[in-house]
Structures are given as C-alpha cells and as structure tokens.
Amino acid sequence: MISEKDVKYAASLSRIHLSDEEAKPLTKDLEKILHYVEKLQKLDVSKVEPTSHVLPIKNVYREDKVRSSLSQEEALKIAVEKIKGSYKVPKVIE
Amino acid sequence: MKLNELTAHEILDLIKAGKETPAAVYKSVKEQISKTEGKVHAYARLIDNQEIDNKLRVDSCPIPIAIKDNICIKDNETTCASKILQGFKPPYDATVIKKLKDSKAIFVGNANMDEFAFGSSCETSAFGPTRNPWNIDCVPGGSSGGSAAAVASSEAVWAIGSDTGGSIRQPACLCGVVGLKPTYGVVSRFGLIAFASSLDQIGPITKDVIDNALLLNIISGYDENDSTSVKMEKPDYTKALIKDIKGIRIGIPKEYFIEGIDPEVEKSVKDSIEKLKSLGAVVKEISLPHTEYAVATYYITATAEASSNLARFDGVQYGLRAIPKSQRKNPIVDMYEETRNQGFGREAKRRIMLGTYALSSGYYDAYYLRALKVRTLIKNDFDKVFKDCDCIVTPTSPTTAFKIGERMDDPIAMYLSDIYTIPANLSGIPAISIPCGFSKNNLPIGLQIMAKAFDEKMLFKVAYAYEQSTDWHKKRVSL
C-alpha cells in the first residue's frame, strides 16, 4: 500500500510543502481511502469504454471574431504583487 | 408567518398585488439574520449596501438570495471558504449571477460551504462550520450547507448551490428544504470555481417545489462561455407543476435499501412511495447493479479532476501568497509550495494528493482509467432502467443530520454520506431532494427523485404532486 515516501512524492507533484507531522496522518488517511477504492479491481472492465464526460458534445468552437475582454488594468487589480503591468513573482532562475 | 418565512412565489404575489415591497422583504431577512446568524453561521460574509429597486418589470424577481461562496460576484470577495482565496474579488460576474442581476435579485451574502466544496458537512470551511437550523449541534450537510441552512432558517428566501456528488441535495435533505441538481449542461458554470468539471452543476435550493422551478427558469439556458452548456430550447419549468402523476412509472432500486440506512429514514421513504402509489403512480422494483461502486468511482474521478483544477491556486496571480522563512528548493517553487501548504486545509490536501496519485505514472491505468470505465457501467445501469421507468425514487441520504465532529476523523464514513446522490452526477442526470418526513428527534428526512437527462419536468411533476398532498415543506424552524 501507500508509504510515507509515496505521499511525500505526491505532495511534491502537487506543489504542496508537507511537514513530517502532516505526512503521517495523511498517509493513514490515503491508505484507508485507497483500501476502500480497491473494490473497483473486482470488476471486469476489459471490454468497457471509459466515460470522461457524459454529454455527446465535442469540439465546441466559437466564431473567430474579436470580442471585448478584461483590460490589463482590470486583470491586475487583484494581483498579489505587480510590476510594470505584469504579475511580480519570486526569482524563477537563480 | 413573517415575510422572510414565506416562499418566493408567495412573496412575489404580495409584491405584485402592491401589498409588500422588495425593500420590506429584504428588511425582514436582515432582521432574521441579526437574530439567528450567530447560531447558524450560514454565511461566509454578508453583502451590504444592496441597491433595491422597488419598481418592477413583469419578469422581475426581487427576492433575497444566498449565493454559495464558489460563484463569482463581480468585485465582491469570493473565496470557496478557503484561506488560499482570501481577498479574491472576481473581476467579472458568473453567468448565473448576471442572470440573477437581470431579474433584480437581492444578494444577501456568500453562503458558507466546505472548502472548495470538498465535504458533506460544511465543517471543512476556513470560516468554521455552519450549523443545522433544526438542531445546532448537528451539521447542515454539505458542501452547500450554508445555502441550505440560510433557506431553512429564513435568512434568505432562496439560494444557489453547486452539486458535484450531492452537494445541493444532501444539505437540502438534512435541512428540510428542496434542492435540485439539474442535468449536466442545463445551467452555465461560467464563473463557478471548478471542483470536478465533468460532474459540477449549479442548482437552486428553495422552500418548495414551485420556487425551485421558478429559480431554475431564471438561471438555466445556453451560454457560449461554458463549452459544456447545451444548446436547446429553454423550457418553462413551471409548466410541469401539475398535480397529476397517474400512470407515471416509478422505479425503486433495491440496492438503495441496504444495511447502514437509518430505519426512520427507510420508513419515511417507504411511506412516501406508498403516497405516490395512492396518487396513481405505478411503482416497481428495479436494479442498479453497480451502485456499490459509485462512491469509489467518484472519489477517484472527482479528486483527479480537482487536483488539476486546483493547480491554478499557486500564489502567482491572486489570493494568498506565502514565502517560507528559509529557502528549501528555489524561490518560486518555495512560494508555490508554501502558499499551497498554508492556503489549503486538510481535506483539500487529502483530495489534491489522492487525485495526483491516481493520475501519476504507474497508477493512471489502475485507478483513473479503471474508474472512468466503471463510470460507464454505472451510467449504463441508468440508461437501461429508464427504458421502462419515468423516474427513480430513493432516499437522499442514508441518515438524518449527524453531530458536528462525528465523521471528521473518518473520511470513508463522511464519503458514504453521498452514497445515494453520487450516481446522478456520474451519469449526468437530474435529481431533486424534497422533504418527506421528520425523525423522532425532529430532524428532516429527504426523498430523492431522479429522471433521465433533460427531463427536469418529470422531477418537478412528481415532486409537486407529492408536495401538494403533504405538509412537510410548510414546517419552519423556530430558532
């Protein structure tokens, strides 16, 4: 079943910093849940197509014409930090 | 009864007859809030300074409404009851909000909810739990617990919720009100902060079935901003409110009356089925053989979708940004990881990580792909049954409202609260919960009706016929 190492790996894929104190109970929780969903293995699904979406609609396009959208100023109004019309973030490359 | 305790259609009649004004209705809602909100905590925040227009058009519907805290209202803080979205003021209105504004709706506040709609009890909210108006030691259900509690306590006349696995119907059931999850594609999700995009649907929570049809009339309809919105002629759902269900074929799935169901719930539901029979419906036992796999299927597909949808909350653009005291990896990654560590609560972390795990290399086929295939089997069960049935009647929840704290440490027990509601989301079909009784402890019991896709009218018809011959929907809480 799932180990604390797996949980820490899933946390890093999820971009969540997890302390050791948090990892332990979470491992237990996930272990219980994975044990519960194990029942799905009982069914033979070899000839079944997956359903990712219930409606028979696909490739929904809109007409290719210019429409109004949020201005830069409106979009940045709620920015945590901004600089010269852009979002400001911590250093990406050191 | 006080004004705020009336249904929307009763209030509209009074307003149209010139006997009351929208301002007076809003005032009575505000008075109720000042009296009971301290006990119930239905709202994440109230919206003040509402402009009230007492002049009416024919299609105006100036009714005080609660909006779940995951639906964007322009320039009004909207947070999904999560710390990670604190301070987020959407720069646009969700489509349902736009439609409600056009109808002159009065927005009372953002209703409390489980964080990101992850829960069945409203206990995972960053603002603390909402309480059940019928017994404040109990949960109101979730995740739209605040919306249901606001309506049940008359702190709003009606409300909007969202339903991914039962999040409208289960709290409506536990709070003794009417909650509808429409067919996937009937109500635009543009501006709904996404949880699981293949399952999420917005819907009305109201005091009776007539109000429910009225509110669905306002919020439904095609929207080019939601690519899953269905292009179809918009029905007038109130046309279905006729008290005639003679010959309607009702299926009762034997898999829904199983161990674990509260005997009082079972009795009320069975009595209700007898009532429907006496009104002329033809009742027969049916089978939905893959029912026992629904919760497991849901918790894989919904968390997988959630882990992807919630990737956008990273501290870059809006909401919370947290930086660790000392460097761990590199400055930007540290910022993402610390923001998400501090911003998400335990259940949100649990679900994001479960979803990430189910989608990760090596587990994708065993978990995610397999769950999507089982979803097909569950959907096929319904397609088959609807060849000989007009609708399906079941309990909404296996128990009445449970005590606050009771299921918080046991995720599986909490997830099983949604055992009867999840299949409708997996299959995309509409389902409604209506009050059908009370337990000895005076806690509400709910009846769920499901119909085939786009047949909301069938739900309203059967629900209305039942409601007209019972009094459960007329009971009001005294707080």
Side-chain angles (χ1 to χ4, degrees), chain B residues 79-85 112-119 122-127 143 195 310 340 342-349 351:
Chain B
T79 67
C80 284
S82 178
K83 273 197 272 186
I84 209 158
L85 273 170
N112 199 17
M113 57 184 281
D114 281 292
E115 183 181 9
F116 282 104
F118 296 158
C122 232
E123 291 166 288
T124 67
S125 165
F127 304 109
S143 64
F195 159 8
L310 270 65
R340 289 164 68 80
Q342 290 185 24
F344 291 130
R346 179 164 169 187
E347 182 62 21
K349 286 179 190 169
R351 296 208 192 187

Side-chain angles (χ1 to χ4, degrees), chain B residues 364-375:
Chain B
Y364 181 92
D365 285 3
Y367 289 109
Y368 184 63
L369 188 61
R370 177 167 279 268
L372 294 186
K373 289 180 176 179
V374 180
R375 184 174 180 183

Side-chain angles (χ1 to χ4, degrees), chain A residues 36-90:
Chain A
Y36 178 77
V37 303
E38 203 56 35
K39 64 164 71 185
L40 296 179
Q41 309 300 328
K42 281 197 294 189
L43 288 166
D44 176 13
V45 292
S46 55
K47 293 191 181 78
V48 184
E49 288 291 316
T51 296
S52 49
H53 197 266
V54 286
L55 292 175
I57 43 177
K58 50 185 160 188
N59 299 341
V60 179
Y61 303 116
R62 69 168 173 85
E63 223 185 306
D64 186 19
K65 63 175 185 204
V66 179
R67 300 190 297 185
S68 62
S69 58
L70 287 181
S71 67
Q72 186 183 41
E73 197 185 324
E74 281 174 300
L76 284 171
K77 210 163 72 182
I78 51 170
V80 188
E81 264 191 279
K82 55 195 155 186
I83 180 168
K84 294 180 189 160
S86 304
Y87 294 106
K88 189 181 174 196
V89 293

Side-chain angles (χ1 to χ4, degrees), chain B residues 361-429:
Chain B
S361 159
Y363 298 102
Y364 181 92
D365 285 3
Y367 289 109
Y368 184 63
L369 188 61
R370 177 167 279 268
L372 294 186
K373 289 180 176 179
V374 180
R375 184 174 180 183
T376 304
L377 298 175
I378 293 166
K379 186 173 181 295
N380 290 349
D381 283 355
F382 282 98
D383 289 346
K384 205 172 144 204
V385 159
F386 284 128
K387 283 183 183 144
D388 313 299
C389 279
D390 299 308
C391 64
I392 297 171
V393 168
T394 75
T396 306
S397 160
T399 65
T400 53
F402 43 93
K403 287 266 156 64
I404 288 180
E406 193 181 291
R407 298 187 189 173
M408 275 306 266
D409 293 328
D410 187 351
I412 299 294
M414 186 69 93
Y415 296 174
L416 288 172
S417 314
D418 297 328
I419 188 163
Y420 299 141
T421 49
I422 280 172
N425 299 81
L426 292 172
S427 314
I429 60 173

Side-chain angles (χ1 to χ4, degrees), chain A residues 1-4 6-19 21-63 65 67 70-71 73-82 86-94, chain B residues 74-75 87-92 183-185 198 222 224-225 227-230 290 292-293 295-297 299-300 305 315-321 323 327-333 335-338 340-341 344 346 349-350 352-354 356-357 360 363 366-377 379 409-412 415-416 425-428 454:
Chain A
M1 287 301 277
I2 195 166
S3 66
E4 212 172 299
D6 295 331
V7 170
K8 288 210 163 142
Y9 179 61
S12 98
L13 288 176
S14 314
R15 291 282 195 237
I16 295 174
H17 173 73
L18 216 55
S19 65
E21 302 90 80
E22 269 188 299
K24 250 188 203 41
L26 261 171
T27 306
K28 228 178 228 165
D29 290 348
L30 292 181
E31 200 174 274
K32 267 194 225 163
I33 299 166
L34 289 171
H35 177 72
Y36 178 77
V37 303
E38 203 56 35
K39 64 164 71 185
L40 296 179
Q41 309 300 328
K42 281 197 294 189
L43 288 166
D44 176 13
V45 292
S46 55
K47 293 191 181 78
V48 184
E49 288 291 316
T51 296
S52 49
H53 197 266
V54 286
L55 292 175
I57 43 177
K58 50 185 160 188
N59 299 341
V60 179
Y61 303 116
R62 69 168 173 85
E63 223 185 306
K65 63 175 185 204
R67 300 190 297 185
L70 287 181
S71 67
E73 197 185 324
E74 281 174 300
L76 284 171
K77 210 163 72 182
I78 51 170
V80 188
E81 264 191 279
K82 55 195 155 186
S86 304
Y87 294 106
K88 189 181 174 196
V89 293
K91 237 186 225 169
V92 178
I93 302 164
E94 285 184 274
Chain B
K74 190 175 187 222
D75 298 329
F88 172 61
K89 290 186 176 172
Y92 64 95
T183 306
Y184 187 76
S198 82
Y222 172 70
E224 63 169 5
N225 283 332
S227 63
T228 60
S229 169
V230 174
H290 295 92
E292 71 158 301
Y293 303 101
V295 174
T297 302
Y299 275 92
I300 295 298
E305 292 184 32
V316 171
Q317 290 167 290
Y318 43 72
L320 179 76
R321 176 181 291 186
I323 312 255
Q327 189 168 326
R328 292 192 285 249
K329 292 177 180 168
N330 74 54
I332 185 91
V333 173
M335 188 276 279
Y336 299 146
E337 294 194 344
E338 190 57 25
R340 289 164 68 80
N341 175 45
F344 291 130
R346 179 164 169 187
K349 286 179 190 169
R350 200 141 67 184
I352 291 169
M353 286 169 52
L354 176 64
T356 303
Y357 184 76
S360 65
Y363 298 102
Y367 289 109
Y368 184 63
L369 188 61
R370 177 167 279 268
L372 294 186
K373 289 180 176 179
V374 180
R375 184 174 180 183
T376 304
L377 298 175
K379 186 173 181 295
D409 293 328
D410 187 351
I412 299 294
Y415 296 174
L416 288 172
N425 299 81
L426 292 172
S427 314
F454 304 106

Side-chain angles (χ1 to χ4, degrees), chain B residues 180 182-183 186 216 237 430 452 454-460:
Chain B
L180 170 78
T183 306
V186 162
L216 185 62
Y237 295 102
K452 58 177 179 293
F454 304 106
D455 202 5
E456 277 77 4
K457 280 189 163 178
M458 177 59 66
L459 301 183
F460 286 132

Side-chain angles (χ1 to χ4, degrees), chain B residues 82-330:
Chain B
S82 178
K83 273 197 272 186
I84 209 158
L85 273 170
Q86 66 186 29
F88 172 61
K89 290 186 176 172
Y92 64 95
D93 277 325
T95 298
V96 291
I97 298 301
K98 203 173 157 294
K99 285 171 181 282
L100 285 163
K101 283 184 176 173
D102 288 344
S103 82
K104 306 264 181 197
I106 301 166
F107 298 98
V108 183
N110 307 91
N112 199 17
M113 57 184 281
D114 281 292
E115 183 181 9
F116 282 104
F118 296 158
S120 313
S121 68
C122 232
E123 291 166 288
T124 67
S125 165
F127 304 109
T130 293
R131 290 163 182 275
N132 192 311
W134 294 94
N135 179 342
I136 58 168
D137 295 328
C138 290
V139 303
S143 64
S144 311
S147 300
V151 176
S153 61
S154 300
E155 291 187 11
V157 175
W158 58 16
I160 296 290
S162 69
D163 190 313
T164 306
S167 281
I168 287 174
R169 291 159 287 155
Q170 186 256 16
C173 164
L174 270 43
C175 289
V177 294
V178 178
L180 170 78
K181 181 201 90 73
T183 306
Y184 187 76
V186 162
V187 178
S188 166
R189 288 104 45 87
F190 179 70
L192 167 72
I193 299 171
F195 159 8
S197 305
S198 82
L199 303 160
D200 298 339
Q201 185 58 200
I202 294 174
I205 297 178
T206 59
K207 285 177 180 151
D208 71 5
V209 175
I210 305 175
D211 275 8
N212 214 277
L214 278 174
L215 189 48
L216 185 62
N217 271 355
I218 296 172
I219 62 172
S220 61
Y222 172 70
D223 176 18
E224 63 169 5
N225 283 332
D226 176 357
S227 63
T228 60
S229 169
V230 174
K231 265 187 192 155
M232 57 176 221
E233 208 179 310
K234 192 172 154 166
D236 176 358
Y237 295 102
T238 60
K239 291 258 163 64
L241 303 172
I242 42 166
K243 198 187 160 185
D244 177 16
I245 55 164
K246 272 194 202 77
I248 298 260
R249 298 163 303 167
I250 298 179
I252 312 296
K254 60 176 186 213
E255 293 82 2
Y256 281 54
F257 294 87
I258 37 140
E259 225 184 279
I261 182 171
D262 179 333
E264 283 189 287
V265 170
E266 183 168 4
K267 181 165 187 317
S268 281
V269 170
K270 290 199 162 153
D271 288 350
S272 308
I273 293 167
E274 286 307 312
K275 175 65 103 188
L276 291 167
K277 239 192 238 177
S278 74
L279 294 170
V282 180
V283 173
K284 65 169 179 176
E285 188 182 88
I286 54 159
S287 174
L288 295 164
H290 295 92
T291 299
E292 71 158 301
Y293 303 101
V295 174
T297 302
Y298 175 81
Y299 275 92
I300 295 298
T301 51
T303 57
E305 292 184 32
S307 72
S308 166
N309 273 327
L310 270 65
R312 62 173 62 99
F313 305 110
D314 55 7
V316 171
Q317 290 167 290
Y318 43 72
L320 179 76
R321 176 181 291 186
I323 312 255
K325 283 191 194 83
S326 56
Q327 189 168 326
R328 292 192 285 249
K329 292 177 180 168
N330 74 54

